[in-house]
Amino acid sequence: MRLASVAQQFAQGNIEFTNNNLDLATNGEGFFVLNDNGSRVYSRAGAFSIDRDGYVVNSNGQQLQVFTPIGGSSTAFNTGSLADLQISLTEGAPNPTSSVEMAMNMDASSTSAGAIAAFNPAVPSSYNYSTSYTIYDSLGSQHTSTMYFLKDSAAANTWHTWLYADNGTASTNVTDGGNAYSTLVFNNNGSLATVNGAAATSVTYDALAMTNGAANVTLTQDYADVTQFGGDFAVNSLFRMAMPQAV
């Protein structure tokens, strides 16, 4: 038996999820750039970890290199030079959740659960649907934020929505208009028409009060990708953003 040849294979492989947050994959062409004791090497293997000094390294101890941010920016980078990626091992100051973008569908065939005045988060029969997600306060603590949806009993293509933190025990639910709820009106093709009577897509909920000593959370809810089609109520995605830190 004799080895005929050794050839490198760079074809795209399957991308799978792992339990390591530092595992990376290259989709398409390209390589990870690594520092091997001052020499630059390239690899498509994305299994990385952190060494005792906080550098992101592969199994050979080669350090992953990246473009450095300009002036602490999170969007502008110096593409003229590379540096070893080093992650701080100390805890940074927490950033409270500041906005949530959602994509969901309200069932157009739903029958209203009742009047606005009768809404009660503790009474499931007083609203049509609800969904929850986690937000973070200024101390980094988690809170459950729950949205409730009620179809208007008289106006066509109209829904009302409430936002509560911690199951309603810590939320003042103040919106930009001073109402305890927001109103979504949809076009006859199922797309969003207005939010609180304006051609807007978002609502800012002020002073979501926390009970653990953290600052009140101001949360902007983006409804741009909410639809009303003739299908089941469905939450397709929820994307949370934290308040940026000052630099």
Side-chain angles (χ1 to χ4, degrees):
M1 181 180 214
R2 184 171 61 183
L3 178 65
S5 65
V6 176
Q8 293 180 322
Q9 217 263 28
F10 296 120
Q12 180 68 47
N14 295 328
I15 296 179
E16 299 178 353
F17 290 99
T18 71
N19 293 323
N20 179 15
N21 290 333
L22 290 175
D23 283 346
L24 304 174
T26 301
N27 186 12
E29 299 180 349
F31 295 87
F32 297 111
V33 182
L34 304 166
N35 177 13
D36 184 15
N37 292 321
S39 299
R40 183 174 295 178
V41 296
Y42 302 89
S43 174
R44 285 182 64 88
F48 296 106
S49 60
I50 298 179
D51 66 13
R52 64 181 183 180
D53 296 317
Y55 290 101
V56 177
V57 298
N58 62 9
S59 59
N60 295 323
Q62 297 166 333
Q63 298 167 339
L64 179 65
Q65 296 206 298
V66 295
F67 294 127
T68 57
I70 299 175
S73 172
S74 61
T75 58
F77 298 89
N78 178 11
T79 59
S81 63
L82 288 167
D84 298 335
L85 177 58
Q86 185 178 29
I87 297 177
S88 174
L89 300 179
T90 59
E91 291 190 10
N95 288 347
T97 305
S98 60
S99 64
V100 176
E101 298 176 1
M102 58 171 51
M104 61 173 55
N105 181 64
M106 304 289 124
D107 187 355
S109 62
S110 297
T111 301
S112 175
I116 297 175
F119 167 75
N120 186 338
V123 181
S125 61
S126 68
Y127 54 88
N128 289 87
Y129 308 112
S130 67
T131 187
S132 299
Y133 54 87
T134 300
I135 61 173
Y136 296 86
D137 62 27
S138 60
L139 299 178
S141 298
Q142 298 183 15
H143 300 269
T144 299
S145 178
T146 305
M147 300 195 68
Y148 300 90
F149 299 93
L150 171 65
K151 190 172 186 180
D152 194 282
S153 57
N157 301 328
T158 301
W159 292 78
H160 307 287
T161 176
W162 291 257
L163 176 67
Y164 279 74
D166 293 336
N167 296 321
T169 59
S171 173
T172 55
N173 292 308
V174 178
T175 69
D176 281 344
N179 299 314
Y181 60 89
S182 293
T183 299
L184 311 180
V185 177
F186 295 89
N187 297 305
N188 57 15
N189 64 358
S191 62
L192 183 65
T194 62
V195 177
N196 290 336
T201 61
S202 63
V203 172
T204 299
Y205 294 83
D206 301 323
L208 293 172
M210 305 291 106
T211 59
N212 60 345
N216 291 347
V217 174
T218 297
L219 190 66
T220 298
Q221 188 79 58
D222 191 341
Y223 298 97
D225 292 324
V226 178
T227 58
Q228 183 198 236
F229 296 144
D232 293 337
F233 171 76
V235 180
N236 299 316
S237 68
L238 288 169
F239 180 71
R240 295 166 300 180
M241 295 184 63
M243 183 179 299
Q245 290 181 328
V247 294

